[in-house]
Amino acid sequence: MDPYKLWTLLCVLGFSRTGLISVNGRTTRVDSDNRPSCADGQPIPKTRIITADRVMALRIWFRNPVGDGKRIDAYIVPSEDAHQSEYVAAYDKRRAFISGFKGSRGTAVVTTSKAALWTDGRYFLEAESSLDCSWILQRMGNPGVVDIPEWLGKELPSGSRVGASPMLMSAMKWKKMSIQLARYNITLIEVLQDLVDLVWTTTRPEKPNSVINALPLKFAGKSWQDKVQDLRNEMVKQNVAAFIVTSLDEIAWLFNFRAKDVPFNPVAIAYAIVDRQKIRLYLNNPSDKLNFDPTDSETNKKLYEHLNTNRRGRCLRKDDCVEVLNYNAILKDIKELVYNLHRKIWIPETCSYAIYDLIPEDQRFMTVSPVAMMKSVKNEVERKGMENAHIRDAVALIDFIEKLEKEVKAGEMWTEISAAKELSKTRSKQKYNRGLSFDSISGSGPNGAIIHYRPTNVTNREITTKDIYLLDSGGQYLDGTTDVTRTFHFGEPTRYERECYTRVLMGAIDLAEQKFIAGTPGM
């Protein structure tokens, strides 16, 4: 019987075990100091998601996850996908499934008796209201909160084994965690078949399969052929035989295409390998994607035409041709590359540990991705496109705010959700708009204080002349991406509200004028 269904049945029948929730949605062992909303007498948040049955189903797979007859004592579930993306497709939201917390950053750790989630200050409030009371909330940066290796070192006995998928963790993070766990005589184990995938067998979204549209030169400013040549020039400088491209945004930029595999991000799930002779692109359902009719009015090319390949993704005596292969062949082809080239292979620091581990140390060259560096230097067409996109986006935002302010003052009903929907509709009328760049943060009154807040039917509040209204939104355009935050009050703000707004403004000005030392991270 499916472990997830088994534990769901046990929960329905009322069987009790450590980590399972009680009838009122709380466990008896939760620490109310850690989870204030789980204290006796506190109302259960409407946004809380009960996942204790999923956690118990996950623990069943601890018995022999790698086929060596040995169990693991804990499992790490990161937010990222196999490309270490911060924002992932619905299919890849493993951490959200196992924990109920939907924020973009966080790591879940499940032991045989406990479950804990680490997230940053943007999501403390959301995590508190989303996690059921079988979860410990680790508020990163707060006093007394330790990192994952130290917590596991205290929770697990010496000699324990901690599992994780090497596809879902970057090489740098894996190596660091492995070293830190070793201090407690704990081993980090590669679990090639992700355990959440084994549990998440029902209600899981389909793998993304959007049409890939060519991005015309009038938006890109440089052909993909010229970009690949620039990359090869960098490879010559570093004396490497090949470069493996793993980040989705870098692949979309390098090959001048746009897709919708990840919400609010114009990317396709893909890998690429560029060596001195060949260019290879790895896609899900490649034969379909190569031959789909374009869905964007700005291009009339099918993908195979754009990539100068044939309908099956094969290069037949063509120069500057991209060979298109099945996504699942990437690891096999990297192994073959290692065997055939006998030379240095360049990988980015953000690549997965699974890819890193396939390349012997004497053949491995790992640095910041050269494609990321190339992409960060915008050409004239890209710079002008960014400027034009912001101008059109500003027009949409001004038109919307004028209407919103007028109607709110007139007493007409507006809510956080209706405002977000109307703004999206207004943006969609602008030239080259292809949707939003992220879920609009539309927060009225106290909701505006929740970092990265997203209105739902449960939390939706009316926008009035009595409350501050925060709007953080943006649009995706073929020629640029926007992200604009504004704070409004459509009535008469109190003295305290004016003081708070002014102090935040003063802080923003101070930060803008701050001089940072060269090399400061994030600059």
Side-chain angles (χ1 to χ4, degrees), residues 2 6 22 27 47 50 146 252 312 333 341 345 419 448 494 513:
D2 187 305
L6 172 61
S22 61
T27 64
T47 54
I50 307 303
V146 299
R312 296 185 297 114
D333 283 5
L341 289 181
I345 297 173
T494 65
E513 294 181 340

Side-chain angles (χ1 to χ4, degrees), residues 87-88 93 102-104 123 126 262-265 416-417 419-421 423-424 427 435-443 450-457 469-476 481-485:
Y87 300 98
V88 301
K93 292 185 176 181
K102 298 179 180 179
S104 65
Y123 295 115
E126 180 181 344
V262 179
F264 311 116
N265 292 263
E416 297 166 340
I417 290 178
K421 287 182 177 179
L423 176 55
S424 177
R427 273 199 170 99
L436 302 180
S437 56
F438 56 95
D439 236 341
S440 293
I441 300 171
S442 173
I450 302 174
I451 305 174
H452 279 214
Y453 168 77
R454 297 178 301 277
T456 66
N457 291 331
Y469 174 57
L470 176 74
L471 180 63
D472 184 356
S473 65
Q476 286 284 8
T481 303
T482 68
D483 180 347
V484 185
T485 305

Side-chain angles (χ1 to χ4, degrees), residues 187-188 268 281 306 310 487:
T187 306
L188 185 58
L281 179 66
H306 173 63
N310 69 14
T487 305

Side-chain angles (χ1 to χ4, degrees), residues 40-77:
D40 290 338
Q42 291 297 314
I44 299 174
K46 295 180 180 179
T47 54
R48 179 153 293 161
I49 300 175
I50 307 303
T51 64
D53 53 343
R54 302 173 188 178
V55 172
M56 295 308 297
L58 183 75
R59 287 174 175 143
I60 290 177
W61 292 100
F62 283 16
R63 289 175 297 192
N64 186 22
V66 295
D68 61 358
K70 298 179 182 179
R71 64 175 293 113
I72 58 172
D73 304 284
Y75 194 69
I76 300 172
V77 186

Side-chain angles (χ1 to χ4, degrees), residues 310-366:
N310 69 14
R311 289 179 177 271
R312 296 185 297 114
R314 300 294 177 263
C315 295
L316 303 176
R317 296 187 299 278
K318 287 185 178 182
D319 294 328
D320 292 326
C321 166
V322 179
E323 184 179 3
V324 182
L325 304 160
N326 192 288
Y327 179 84
N328 293 327
I330 183 65
L331 298 183
K332 175 182 70 67
D333 283 5
I334 292 174
K335 289 180 182 178
E336 292 180 359
L337 200 68
V338 168
Y339 180 79
N340 293 326
L341 289 181
H342 304 292
R343 292 179 60 193
K344 291 281 187 181
I345 297 173
W346 198 350
I347 54 175
E349 292 177 342
T350 53
C351 79
S352 70
Y353 182 74
I355 289 177
Y356 169 92
D357 199 39
L358 286 176
I359 305 171
E361 186 174 356
D362 62 346
Q363 285 184 260
R364 189 190 305 135
F365 180 67
M366 185 169 74

Side-chain angles (χ1 to χ4, degrees), residues 78-126:
S79 301
E80 295 82 4
D81 60 12
H83 305 269
Q84 282 60 63
S85 310
E86 180 178 4
Y87 300 98
V88 301
Y91 175 86
D92 288 313
K93 292 185 176 181
R94 297 172 178 85
R95 191 229 51 231
F97 168 80
I98 204 67
S99 69
F101 167 64
K102 298 179 180 179
S104 65
R105 186 184 179 193
T107 303
V109 179
V110 177
T111 70
T112 56
S113 61
K114 293 183 180 180
L117 178 110
W118 279 255
T119 192
D120 63 39
R122 294 174 297 171
Y123 295 115
F124 288 172
L125 295 176
E126 180 181 344

Side-chain angles (χ1 to χ4, degrees), residues 26 30-45 48 124-125 127-129 131-133 135-139 142:
R26 303 187 179 92
V30 72
D31 180 358
S32 60
D33 290 336
N34 175 262
R35 300 290 307 284
S37 66
C38 293
D40 290 338
Q42 291 297 314
I44 299 174
R48 179 153 293 161
F124 288 172
L125 295 176
E128 174 65 30
S129 64
L131 298 171
D132 75 36
C133 292
W135 285 87
I136 300 167
L137 177 55
Q138 304 283 12
R139 298 171 177 84
N142 277 10

